[in-house]
């Protein structure tokens, strides 16, 4: 059995999987006659040529912990960003880009609630893992033709447990 213990979400630790969306330690500049600080280009939305970027809100329900990790998904046609709207901590489970998943390479992170994430195209990840019921996330992802969700289910011999 592999037990995943989430580590704090940092830009450096999460870099192989995508971007951490936060203002801490990021450059900014003033706009709107000096009344607004802009933290520019905190993540890059990466879409295929047939897709379009959309903004949605996902309302998530918390799952019982410890949580067996039974599957991961990836999106080959576009990146996917999740930004918490209620400043609530949430969990992230990821694995490197590949055709299959090596369970020993799976990583778990915890956002402190003022950090969002942007998964790169083809990065394996667990669907949203809220720690509180009715937690809202602003989601930026792709709409358009084509199959943009691949799922990988672990065999019964591959026992993975998320234990925050």
């Amino acid at each position: 059995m592999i037990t995943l213990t989430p580590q704090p979400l940092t830009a450096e630790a999460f870099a192989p999987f995508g971007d951490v969306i936060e203002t801490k330690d990021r450059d900014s500049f003033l706009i709107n006659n000096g009344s607004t600080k802009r933290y520019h280009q905190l993540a890059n939305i990466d879409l295929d040529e047939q897709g379009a970027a959309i903004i949605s809100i996902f309302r998530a329900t918390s799952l019982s912990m410890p949580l067996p990790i039974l599957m991961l998904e990836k999106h080959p046609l576009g990146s996917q960003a999740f930004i918490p709207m209620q400043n609530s901590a949430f969990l992230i489970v990821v694995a490197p880009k590949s055709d299959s998943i090596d369970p020993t390479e799976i990583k778990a992170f915890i956002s402190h609630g003022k950090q969002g994430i942007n998964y790169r195209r083809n990065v394996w990840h667990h669907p949203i893992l809220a720690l509180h019921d009715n937690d809202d996330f602003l989601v930026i992802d792709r709409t358009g033709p084509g199959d943009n969700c691949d799922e990988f289910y672990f065999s019964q011999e591959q026992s993975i447990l998320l234990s925050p």
Side-chain angles (χ1 to χ4, degrees):
M1 173 182 292
I2 295 173
T3 301
L4 299 173
T5 303
Q7 60 183 302
L9 180 63
T10 66
E12 297 76 25
F14 195 71
F17 311 105
D19 306 302
V20 174
I21 303 169
E22 67 180 333
T23 57
K24 182 182 175 205
D25 299 327
R26 298 298 296 263
D27 291 335
S28 65
F29 54 91
L30 294 176
I31 61 171
N32 298 334
N33 297 315
S35 66
T36 304
K37 188 180 284 191
R38 179 176 177 147
Y39 296 90
H40 186 69
Q41 200 170 351
L42 298 177
N44 292 313
I45 305 304
D46 179 18
L47 305 173
D48 72 331
E49 61 280 346
Q50 295 179 335
I54 59 171
I55 297 174
S56 306
I57 293 176
F58 288 15
R59 181 160 294 145
T61 301
S62 64
L63 301 173
S64 297
M65 297 290 164
L67 177 71
I69 301 299
L70 305 175
M71 63 81 72
L72 297 179
E73 65 183 27
K74 68 177 180 174
H75 305 287
L77 303 179
S79 59
Q80 190 177 46
F82 290 85
I83 303 163
M85 297 179 67
Q86 296 162 321
N87 293 330
S88 298
F90 67 99
L91 297 170
I92 302 139
V93 173
V94 291
K97 295 180 187 182
S98 67
D99 292 333
S100 63
I101 299 172
D102 178 349
T104 65
E105 294 184 334
I106 297 173
K107 304 283 185 205
F109 298 95
I110 186 165
S111 163
H112 57 58
K114 293 189 178 195
Q115 300 166 299
I117 51 153
N118 183 46
Y119 296 119
R120 288 198 178 96
R121 286 166 67 166
N122 282 311
V123 165
W124 291 105
H125 61 277
H126 195 279
I128 193 74
L129 290 166
L131 293 172
H132 307 281
D133 284 338
N134 297 313
D135 212 354
D136 288 343
F137 294 83
L138 183 73
V139 179
I140 303 167
D141 62 353
R142 177 198 182 273
T143 191
D147 185 8
N148 192 31
C149 187
D150 297 337
E151 296 176 336
F152 181 93
Y153 288 86
F154 296 100
S155 69
Q156 290 184 354
E157 295 81 38
Q158 296 172 310
S159 181
I160 304 162
L161 190 66
L162 175 62
S163 184

